[in-house]
Amino acid sequence: MPRVLNVLFLLIIAASALALLWLGGRLALLGGSPWYLLSGLVMLATAALIWRRKPLSITLYWTFLGANLIWALWEAGLDYWALAPRLAMPVCMGLYMLTPAYRRHVGVDRPLPGARILWPGLATLIAGGIALAFWVDSSPAGTSTAWGPSPARPADGDWIAYGNDRGGSRFSPLEQITPSNVGNLKPAWTFHAGKLADGKVRTSFQANPIKVGSRLYLCAANNDVIALDPETGRTLWRHSPKTDLTGVYGAVCRGVTYYSVPEARGLCAERIYTATLDARLIALDAATGRPCPSFGRGGQVDLTSGFGKVEKGYYFVTSPPALVRGKLVLGGWVIDGQKTGEPPGVMRAFDAVTGDFVWAFDIGRPNRHGLPPEGQTFTRGSPNSWAPMSSDEALGLIYVPTGNATPDYFGGHRTANDDRFSSAVVALDAESGAVRWSFQTTHHDLWDYDVASQPTLVDLPGGIKGLLQPTKRGEIFFLDRVTGNPILPVAERAVPQGGVKGERLANTQPYSIAMPSFGGPRPTEQRMWGLTPIDQAMCRIRFKEARFDGDMTPLSTEHPTITWPGYLGGIDWGGVAVDPERGLMIVNNNQVANYNYLIPRTAADRRGIKPMTASHMSDVGGPAAQMGVPYAAQIAPFLSPIAIPCQQPPYGRISAVDLKTGKMVWSKIFGTSRDSGPLALPTFVPIPMGVPNIGGSVATASGLTFIGATQEHAFRAYETATGRLLWKTRLPAGGNASPTTYWSQESGRQFVVIAAGGHGAMLSGSSDELIAYALPKP
């Protein structure tokens, strides 16, 4: 057996030497660090000495390990994640050379000094490190039996809209669950939304349930609308709109909308609305789930009216309609990057009682708010709005986060109106659809930085009405929601130039200079990562081969471009939560780049890159045809050959920002490696490293922030003021949704619920479970 181990060790060190010689040489020629080439030379010499069974192999290799430690500390400092790929594999090889089996192999018979304590000491160190990992991410919450107070008003126990209020604050005034007793939370009930029988469409259960009175309302991924008993999770009614999922590659419904019709009685006096994946707006009686016969035609409105031809899978709605002054306002999701002239991105308002069309905001004709004349359509290929909107009833404004004119990664064909209103937050008059103001978060967006987060409305002392707009760029803009003017300063800064032929670039981009940026640390060669020096060298080569001049570096056909942050963000559709009592904004963000490039049309044609069809739909990454412009695009996360990000961890954080000063109050690594790892396989070891996350949080008046969101299958509660982790529980899949908290009058308890559905692109598993947590009944 020792002979076999020594032969295997020789093969490993020889293969590592050859790999590092090849990769290190390439990296050195690209102007990168020569250390990997030197490491390969030393390993090759060591392998030769091992082959000849020379004791000098130990001396040479351990001398190299000492030099390698000095280099690693010089280049990476004391960051343990930065040191791991530089030290772990080489040290493990060196430790094997100290074993009796290897020492006898090279003719060293004398005992190793300190051998009696070396191996027990290493075993203790490893066990202690694993235990420390578990401890760091454990939940040191108190388990007090004292409960916080009941809500002062019945309405305080409801969750009436996506994000709780029409302004998406994600804040609840409930206080029964406190930092002192949150450790006592237990599952109260579980509801299964159901999975699609045929399994042909990937579903993602991301609903943010609403709670009004004695019912909890939500939608399943296939647009089934469900009413539950909030105390027990028992189904009260379920309505299936029989959604046609042809061409839909990912079935998602993030929420429903509630409306109480003024002075109405009987059927449909209270209503639940949903917008579907086959582009219908549906009104249901809140008490029974029956369609409202007076709404549209038999309870539904066709959302493709005025669109012209709509190919299957090219247009659908994933966010709940916004409600303002008796009107339902919604946009829609238009498939990314396929071609010019895709379905219109128009935003429309419909009467909440009758379903009648009220107005449109068509970016191609922003001053005309009616239906298109006979024989015409709304402007095709115009910027859309797929994220949740917010509204201010008193001001009569609807706040619309916008996307791009299609396709995403080339804009030479875009109009002046496209460039004015894309990747922006636009305030529209609720009565007319007229633009009151518009603030653009990315000029002439060529990076898929559409605004994915709901605008969050917050009131400040002195009567200032604020709006927080998070972005995929990681910039958060704090605006006056009456005027659109910045509350905290915004500066225009020069950005990299040098686009492809036919493109035009913005010379500057807006930066929220008084707020922290949530894009993550700037990528550098030194910050490229891997599990070993070999895959780290591969990532360093990929970095040196790409163009990266900072954020907003334009894409090229000549070499890849590192887009930082990538299309996941920054901050995606989970948005932010605001605790108005503490003046804090809670932000969960991603720190993962993309590795993108453009493909000339002739080369794209040779590769057979064509627009997607109903029979062949996929996620927003990969090759994007961009038919109608001179270039296709190849879009992908910046990953190593073993499918881990090339950037150094952490990949996700959760933080709190003081809204009065714009300063960071605390920031924590968010998520562990428990459910992720090389080749997309789970490690089962919960090492705190910060993982990609998508989904939102909820803050409560008692001082707690609840959040799932991570790639890890976990649900957590943090102390809002300090960021201290107080409670954590396992989920059947990632909680890639936004939680809801509400009060149940039946038992006098506060509940917290989350859809633990996972997310296909996040590789966070799949489930159809909605899980409710509460303090045990006394």
Side-chain angles (χ1 to χ4, degrees), residues 5-6 9-10 13 42-43 45-51 54-65 89-106 108 110 112 118-119:
L5 291 175
N6 289 323
F9 177 67
L10 172 60
I13 204 164
V42 172
M43 284 191 175
T46 302
L49 291 171
I50 295 171
W51 174 259
K54 297 292 186 180
L56 183 59
S57 61
I58 300 175
T59 304
L60 173 63
Y61 194 78
W62 273 87
T63 301
F64 161 71
L65 287 183
M89 187 186 87
V91 168
C92 287
M93 290 179 171
L95 288 173
Y96 179 77
M97 298 173 81
L98 301 182
T99 62
Y102 181 81
R103 288 167 62 81
R104 285 194 296 269
H105 175 72
V106 296
V108 179
R110 62 184 180 277
L112 180 70
L118 174 62
W119 304 112

Side-chain angles (χ1 to χ4, degrees), residues 440-595:
Q440 192 164 59
T441 68
T442 304
H443 305 321
H444 196 68
D445 179 7
L446 302 173
W447 303 271
D448 196 14
Y449 285 152
D450 49 324
V451 182
S453 301
Q454 181 181 23
T456 298
L457 310 187
V458 56
D459 294 330
L460 303 177
I464 298 175
K465 297 182 179 297
L467 179 149
L468 293 159
Q469 185 57 71
T471 67
K472 290 183 182 180
R473 291 179 57 203
E475 300 293 312
I476 299 179
F477 298 96
F478 200 2
L479 311 174
D480 185 316
R481 70 175 183 266
V482 179
T483 65
N485 296 326
I487 291 174
L488 292 181
V490 174
E492 291 284 337
R493 291 176 175 170
V495 291
Q497 299 294 295
V500 294
K501 183 179 179 181
E503 186 58 272
R504 59 184 187 275
L505 300 174
N507 293 322
T508 65
Q509 294 288 351
Y511 289 82
S512 184
I513 57 176
M515 278 270 193
S517 177
F518 291 96
R522 178 188 174 109
T524 63
E525 185 201 335
Q526 289 73 24
R527 292 188 63 84
M528 293 300 100
W529 201 69
L531 291 182
T532 70
I534 294 171
D535 55 309
Q536 185 180 42
M538 291 179 178
C539 284
R540 291 176 84 136
I541 289 169
R542 295 192 76 201
F543 179 85
K544 297 296 290 186
E545 288 176 337
R547 180 186 178 190
F548 181 66
D549 299 328
D551 61 322
M552 321 305 284
T553 301
L555 271 61
S556 169
T557 59
E558 299 174 359
H559 38 61
T561 295
I562 293 173
T563 300
W564 164 67
Y567 57 48
L568 186 61
I571 305 156
D572 212 280
W573 56 258
V576 299
V578 170
D579 184 332
E581 298 183 3
R582 294 165 182 82
L584 296 178
M585 172 179 62
I586 310 301
V587 184
N588 56 292
N589 67 296
N590 294 285
Q591 300 180 170
V592 180
N594 269 45
Y595 202 75

